[in-house]
């Protein structure tokens, strides 16, 4: 109980929910507006940093391609990329990771 209370205290103290919402909105906007991937994405959904990028078609060897870019991806339902980074991810790491995901999608 004390450990979970401490976790929630840090989330509140560091305003991590607001930060997650802001980073998620920025990522959603970027994914929807990036010309290199917009024709391959059916929908971007989620909340905060827990995002699902639904592709129009099921990709072949997507996890291997993502690993080659240095990203571990969870592909669900055959064509939904699940992103779920930690709430305290740095801006730089989030932006770089998203850039890598975009490169993998663009190469499909």
């Amino acid at each position: 109980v004390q450990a979970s209370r401490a976790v929630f205290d840090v989330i509140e103290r560091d305003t991590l929910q607001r930060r997650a919402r802001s980073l998620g909105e920025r990522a959603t906007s970027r994914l929807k507006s990036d010309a290199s991937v917009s024709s391959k994405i059916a929908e971007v959904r989620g909340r905060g940093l827990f995002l699902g990028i639904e592709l129009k078609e099921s990709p072949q060897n997507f996890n291997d391609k993502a690993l080659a870019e240095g990203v571990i991806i969870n592909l669900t339902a055959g064509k939904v990329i699940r992103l779920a980074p930690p709430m305290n991810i740095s801006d730089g790491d989030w932006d770089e990771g998203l850039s890598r995901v975009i490169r993998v999608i663009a190469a499909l």
Side-chain angles (χ1 to χ4, degrees), residues 27-68:
T28 298
S29 175
R30 185 173 168 196
L31 286 160
K32 288 180 177 180
S33 66
D34 191 307
S36 70
V37 295
S38 61
S39 66
K40 298 174 184 191
I41 295 175
E43 181 182 15
V44 180
R45 58 183 176 264
R47 194 168 185 175
L49 290 172
F50 191 63
L51 298 176
I53 306 164
E54 183 174 349
L55 303 174
K56 290 183 178 177
E57 297 180 19
S58 295
Q60 297 295 317
N61 302 317
F62 188 79
N63 289 340
D64 293 336
K65 293 173 184 176
L67 279 174

Side-chain angles (χ1 to χ4, degrees), residues 53 71 73 81 83 96-106:
I53 306 164
V71 181
I73 293 286
I81 302 164
L83 302 180
E96 178 60 28
L98 191 58
S99 292
R100 291 176 185 212
V101 170
I102 288 171
R103 282 195 298 267
V104 174
I105 295 169

Side-chain angles (χ1 to χ4, degrees), residues 7-20 87-88:
V7 168
F8 285 111
D9 287 345
V10 170
I11 289 171
E12 186 175 325
R13 181 194 71 211
D14 294 348
T15 63
L16 292 178
Q17 285 180 304
R18 185 176 332 139
R19 176 176 169 63
M87 292 175 80
N88 63 347

